[in-house]
């Protein structure tokens, strides 16, 4: 036992000795070897969401060879894992959820003993593989298939697509869903390179979050085609992603392009015209884009998030298609994750603000670079309002308002908006030039490595503060990172950002007429400021006046429609019910769907029957991420009878 610990320690140290990780990787790359990313060993980097024990044995590379079986809604085939084990290690533990394991062997086909442990409702079950006699095998091969209800995967019928003729498949790995289709160590601190060969029935095309090696696919027999992919940079396993469907590609710029169903291509490309410029702006801010291509895919409307930063291929909801690019901050956001999140990654999910808060700050910097300080200042002010409402909702002293938070609150007003405000506060305190230089070096020094809050603060102290006691005092780093609420030194948004809107809002709220509000001439951010600044309780006649004056229920902008519907439903405004039904049936983004059902549910005898009626119809079309959130809101009453 002592031996094992000693060697485990040696393995961990060899893999993570501070700044040398990248030097080792550069050397490995020069020798044509795969990079092996370090694993952090501190107590703050222990991931409670994984069964893996990477200090004993870890996965360094995943090779998938899978068939997408649309008829049975399964991915089926093999995963071959490269394993690095400490000397004396006898087994490796993987994560799995719902996987049907058929066989486990070494690379030579020799069977290995394995056991699936008891399954937990969120974490799934540990898959423990014995190494047998002698040294640990360099590779293990698992023959398996995913369950038809694998939470990472959504299998769409042709009717659920824009084209209506072909089925569709997409995955969503973050945070811990990829274990429902890939048997590996599903922890963001255990980075892995990967490759894949995926077959699907023609004419479907397969895309993944890595380099495409077979743009046209290869014949795989039985009317199927095989597509091969490679990711030769070590990534967190939640970033392995797949989509397959009747999709087409259009170039946006030299290294950018969009995939979507043919019927969506024109609209998508028009909304995404600035993508290449965003990549250029991001590089000017924080250094080179390190992933080769930056493509995006606009998915069918049931995609449960706004966007997902899958490397080389951002996944997007079609609900950002507003027709006027007013919601393209989403692209800036997902692109920014190519640095914050994908290059430097939260070691565990309680450190999620290191991904999302950094990215929200970075997103705003890209928006400023492309569209100027006015739009950036308005979006900052909206973000600040989100912090205030999160604090009001959770309570100023609630544990869930801490940036590093393991309470499970997972409030976006904290993780995203308070996180961004922290960085903006540092920027305003030390000056933009100095902070930009620091962030560029931070991404460079920690590229392809995990990060914790404590390491980030240590890095700030070593490379930015450098012993300046007065600066340390002004920044209040520990207060920001570990305490609830909002420190007094927070950089507040520019009060001028919405001065005109706030004047119109005050006049309207004092009894003014809707016709006096210059809504039609406002930007999306201004409209959102107005809608969210209306009192939460309003008489139906006033709501009808707004609806008629600005055609709110007919808005084609998902964000303003959502803001309006929230207000309308909270006031039992019946004429909005057809619009809410259309919206809830037409898209499945959790951020819109779950709060609308929650508002309806909160409206007792008026709203509950409406919620139940709509959900009975829409639930089958939602991704599990969305339906499980709504199930929690509606309780058992919301679920179909068994
Ligand atoms: N990485 C997130 C999506 C995510 C978060 C998936 C947590 C699973 C768990 C993505 O980058 C994101 O933040 N998307 C936002 C859009 C953004 C503009 C704030 C979304 O989905 O709304
Ligand atoms: Zn994000």
């Amino acid at each position: 036992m002592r031996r094992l610990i000693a060697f485990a320690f040696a393995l961990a140290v060899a893999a993570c000795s501070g700044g040398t990780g990248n030097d080792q990787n550069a050397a490995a790359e020069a020798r044509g070897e795969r990079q092996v990313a370090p694993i952090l060993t501190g107590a703050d980097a222990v991931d409670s969401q994984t069964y893996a024990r990477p200090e004993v044995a870890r996965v360094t590379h995943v090779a998938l060879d899978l068939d997408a079986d649309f008829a049975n809604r399964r991915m089926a085939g093999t995963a071959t894992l490269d394993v690095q084990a400490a000397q004396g290690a006898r087994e490796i533990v993987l994560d799995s959820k719902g996987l049907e394991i058929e066989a486990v062997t070494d690379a030579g086909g020799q069977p290995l003993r394995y056991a699936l442990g008891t399954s937990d409702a969120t974490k799934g079950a540990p898959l423990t593989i014995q190494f047998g006699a002698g040294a640990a095998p360099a590779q293990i091969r698992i023959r398996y298939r995913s369950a038809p209800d694998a939470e990472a995967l959504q299998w769409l019928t042709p009717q659920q697509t824009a084209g209506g003729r072909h089925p569709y498949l997409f995955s969503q790995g973050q945070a811990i869903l990829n274990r429902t289709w890939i048997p590996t160590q599903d922890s963001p601190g255990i980075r892995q390179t990967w490759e894949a060969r995926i077959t699907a029935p023609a004419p479907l095309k397969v895309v993944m979050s890595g380099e495409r090696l077979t743009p046209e696919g290869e014949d795989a027999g039985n009317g199927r085609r095989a597509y091969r992919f490679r990711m030769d940079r070590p990534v967190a396993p939640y970033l392995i992603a797949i989509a397959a469907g009747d999709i087409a590609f259009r170039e946006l710029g030299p290294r950018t392009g969009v995939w979507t169903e043919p019927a969506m291509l024109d609209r998508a490309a028009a909304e995404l015209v600035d993508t290449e410029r965003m990549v250029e702006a991001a590089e000017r801010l924080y250094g080179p884009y390190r992933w080769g291509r930056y493509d995006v895919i606009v998915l069918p409307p049931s995609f449960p998030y706004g966007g997902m930063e899958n490397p080389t291929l951002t996944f997007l909801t079609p609900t950002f298609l507003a027709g006027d690019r007013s919601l393209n901050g989403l692209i800036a956001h997902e692109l920014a994750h190519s640095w914050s999140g994908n290059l430097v990654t939260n070691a565990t999910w309680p450190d999620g603000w290191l991904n999302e808060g950094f990215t929200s700050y970075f997103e705003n910097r890209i928006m400023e670079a492309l569209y100027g300080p006015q739009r950036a200042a308005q979006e900052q002010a909206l973000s600040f309002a989100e912090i205030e409402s999160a604090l009001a909702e959770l309570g100023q002293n609630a544990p869930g308002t801490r940036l590093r938070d393991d309470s499970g609150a997972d409030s976006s007003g904290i993780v995203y908006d308070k996180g961004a405000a922290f960085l903006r506060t540092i920027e305003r305190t030390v000056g933009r030039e100095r902070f930009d230089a620091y962030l560029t070096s931070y991404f460079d020094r920690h590229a392809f490595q995990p990060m914790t809050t404590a390491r980030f603060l240590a890095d700030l102290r070593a490379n930015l503060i450098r012993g300046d006691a007065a600066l340390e005092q002004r920044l209040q780093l520990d207060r920001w990172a570990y305490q609830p609420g909002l420190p007094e030194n927070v950089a507040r948004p520019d009060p001028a950002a919405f001065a005109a809107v706030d004047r119109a809002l005050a006049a309207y709220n004092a009894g003014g007429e809707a016709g006096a509000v210059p809504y039609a001439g406002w930007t999306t951010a201004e409209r959102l400021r107005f809608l969210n600044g209306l009192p939460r309780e309003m008489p139906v006649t006033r709501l009808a006046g707004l609806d008629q004056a600005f055609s709110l229920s007919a808005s084609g902008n998902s964000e303003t429609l959502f803001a309006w519907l929230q207000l309308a439903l909270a006031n039992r405004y019946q004429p909005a019910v057809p619009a809410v039904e259309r919206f809830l049936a037409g898209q499945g983004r959790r951020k819109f769907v779950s709060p609308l059902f929650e508002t309806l549910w909160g409206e007792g005898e008026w709203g509950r029957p409406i919620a139940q009626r709509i959900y009975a119809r829409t639930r089958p079309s939602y991704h599990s991420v969305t339906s499980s959130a709504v199930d929690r809101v509606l309780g058992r009453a919301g679920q179909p009878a068994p």
Side-chain angles (χ1 to χ4, degrees):
M1 196 60 195
R2 259 178 72 189
R3 228 174 109 91
L4 174 67
I5 291 169
F7 279 97
F9 181 67
L11 172 77
V13 169
C16 85
S17 43
T20 66
N22 271 347
D23 306 342
Q24 285 171 7
N25 272 337
E29 206 182 344
R31 291 192 303 270
E33 294 165 8
R34 284 195 190 116
Q35 297 180 14
V36 175
I39 287 176
L40 302 179
T41 49
D44 63 333
V46 174
D47 180 0
S48 65
Q49 306 270 64
T50 184
Y51 291 105
R53 285 182 285 127
E55 72 286 3
V56 176
R58 65 168 289 197
V59 175
T60 62
H61 181 79
V62 179
L64 300 173
D65 189 350
L66 299 171
D67 299 320
D69 177 353
F70 284 82
N72 296 300
R73 303 191 158 200
R74 293 178 189 274
M75 298 295 284
T78 61
T80 304
L81 310 179
D82 289 9
V83 170
Q84 220 179 50
Q87 219 168 59
R90 303 297 345 137
E91 61 186 30
I92 184 166
V93 186
L94 310 177
D95 294 299
S96 77
K97 196 175 181 192
L99 300 179
E100 294 175 20
I101 309 293
E102 282 151 26
V104 181
T105 66
D106 63 17
Q110 287 305 310
L112 296 171
R113 288 177 51 197
Y114 67 92
L116 264 181
T118 8
S119 189
D120 174 271
T122 45
K123 286 165 63 170
L127 171 58
T128 305
I129 297 167
Q130 304 294 330
F131 291 155
Q139 288 189 322
I140 52 181
R141 179 163 301 144
I142 302 156
R143 173 163 295 281
Y144 72 102
R145 46 188 203 163
S146 61
D149 61 353
E151 289 155 275
L153 304 176
Q154 193 177 15
W155 303 86
L156 300 176
T157 62
Q159 297 73 41
Q160 290 174 281
T161 68
R165 285 164 37 102
H166 299 284
Y168 204 106
L169 163 70
F170 66 81
S171 72
Q172 165 59 41
Q174 196 182 354
I176 57 166
L177 302 181
N178 265 350
R179 60 190 68 178
T180 66
W181 74 287
I182 305 173
T184 189
Q185 295 179 320
D186 189 12
S187 173
I190 310 177
R191 305 178 79 96
Q192 298 150 40
T193 51
W194 61 268
E195 66 194 288
R197 176 182 178 275
I198 309 284
T199 77
L204 305 196
K205 292 195 177 73
V206 182
V207 290
M208 288 188 80
S209 51
E211 190 186 346
R212 302 166 58 228
L213 302 176
T214 51
E216 303 307 321
E218 302 162 334
D219 183 33
N222 287 326
R224 301 178 68 86
R225 295 192 76 72
Y227 294 83
R228 291 186 288 111
F229 305 89
R230 176 176 65 199
M231 171 50 72
D232 58 12
R233 305 280 187 220
V235 295
Y238 71 88
L239 294 170
I240 306 177
I242 185 171
D246 175 22
I247 51 175
F249 177 78
R250 186 173 302 168
E251 222 170 69
L252 296 167
R255 58 184 155 167
T256 51
V258 54
W259 289 95
T260 194
E261 287 190 72
M264 302 288 292
L265 204 47
D266 287 340
R267 263 178 86 201
E271 207 84 25
L272 291 160
V273 279
D274 291 337
T275 307
E276 186 80 29
R277 286 177 57 217
M278 286 187 178
V279 181
E280 291 163 4
E283 288 190 306
R284 273 195 295 275
L285 282 165
Y286 304 127
Y289 177 76
R290 306 206 196 200
W291 304 90
R293 294 197 56 85
Y294 182 73
D295 293 325
V296 305
I297 178 166
V298 180
L299 291 155
S302 65
F303 184 61
Y305 292 105
M308 180 63 216
E309 64 270 25
N310 299 314
T312 74
L313 184 65
T314 281
F315 281 29
L316 296 172
T317 172
T319 64
F320 89 102
L321 301 169
D324 59 3
R325 287 172 253 156
S326 63
L327 302 181
N328 68 356
L330 174 68
I331 317 306
H333 180 96
E334 304 311 335
L335 168 66
H337 274 305
S338 305
W339 286 258
S340 42
N342 298 358
L343 262 194
V344 184
T345 310
N346 50 219
T348 67
W349 297 113
D351 274 329
W353 79 274
L354 294 171
N355 281 16
E356 298 300 345
F358 270 65
T359 294
S360 299
Y361 170 80
F362 191 163
E363 166 196 339
N364 192 259
R365 296 294 307 276
I366 296 172
M367 297 306 277
E368 180 180 330
L370 261 78
Y371 307 114
Q374 170 83 354
R375 181 165 175 183
Q378 290 190 340
E379 292 182 0
Q380 274 174 37
L382 290 180
S383 169
F384 194 80
E386 294 292 328
I387 309 178
E388 290 178 319
S389 59
L391 293 175
E393 190 184 319
L394 297 167
Q396 300 280 342
N397 292 315
T401 67
R402 297 170 302 178
L403 281 182
R404 175 172 166 93
D405 175 46
D406 53 7
S407 77
D410 206 18
S411 158
S412 69
I414 301 303
V415 178
Y416 289 68
D417 301 299
K418 180 180 172 182
F422 180 21
L423 298 198
R424 192 162 299 114
T425 300
I426 304 175
E427 180 208 313
R428 298 237 183 119
T429 309
V430 304
R432 180 171 271 197
E433 208 179 321
R434 194 167 152 202
F435 191 49
D436 286 359
Y438 166 75
L439 280 181
T440 305
S441 79
Y442 166 84
F443 290 127
D444 191 46
R445 280 179 285 109
H446 301 286
F448 303 106
Q449 294 180 48
M451 181 56 60
T452 63
T453 298
R455 277 173 82 89
F456 167 56
L457 296 191
D459 189 272
L460 264 176
R461 291 188 164 108
N463 297 292
L464 184 72
I465 300 176
R466 297 165 170 269
D468 180 340
L471 178 57
E472 172 79 43
Q473 172 65 25
R474 282 170 70 204
L475 286 173
Q476 299 283 306
L477 301 181
D478 293 300
R479 177 93 217 276
W480 271 99
Y482 299 118
Q483 299 300 315
L486 196 58
E488 304 74 44
N489 69 345
V490 62
R492 291 183 182 276
D494 180 357
F498 285 128
V501 183
D502 289 344
R503 274 196 301 277
L505 192 57
Y508 180 79
N509 287 344
E513 285 308 311
V517 178
Y519 188 87
W522 280 341
T523 63
T524 294
E526 290 168 332
R527 292 172 177 191
L528 291 171
R529 174 73 165 203
F530 178 78
L531 293 170
N532 291 330
L534 292 167
R536 292 299 93 182
E537 272 185 42
M538 282 180 73
V540 158
T541 50
R542 295 278 285 171
L543 292 169
L546 290 173
D547 197 8
Q548 276 146 27
F550 315 131
S551 304
L552 296 173
S553 294
S555 173
N557 183 300
S558 60
E559 293 283 356
T560 54
L561 180 63
F562 171 72
W564 158 247
L565 292 174
Q566 281 286 67
L567 177 68
L569 297 179
N571 290 283
R572 306 190 177 189
Y573 177 66
Q574 191 73 34
V577 172
V580 85
E581 181 159 5
R582 245 180 288 125
F583 191 49
L584 291 172
Q587 53 78 39
R589 185 171 172 186
R590 182 179 70 178
K591 165 182 154 176
F592 296 145
V593 170
S594 182
L596 285 169
F597 276 112
E598 206 170 322
T599 302
L600 280 170
W601 201 248
E603 293 306 315
E605 84 279 13
W606 180 80
R608 291 187 183 197
I610 301 174
Q612 278 167 330
R613 180 177 57 74
I614 297 177
Y615 195 44
R617 179 181 154 217
T618 60
R619 189 178 188 276
S621 68
Y622 294 148
H623 187 281
S624 74
V625 160
T626 298
S627 58
S628 54
V630 181
D631 286 351
R632 282 192 292 275
V633 173
L634 270 60
R636 289 188 52 193
Q639 286 172 52

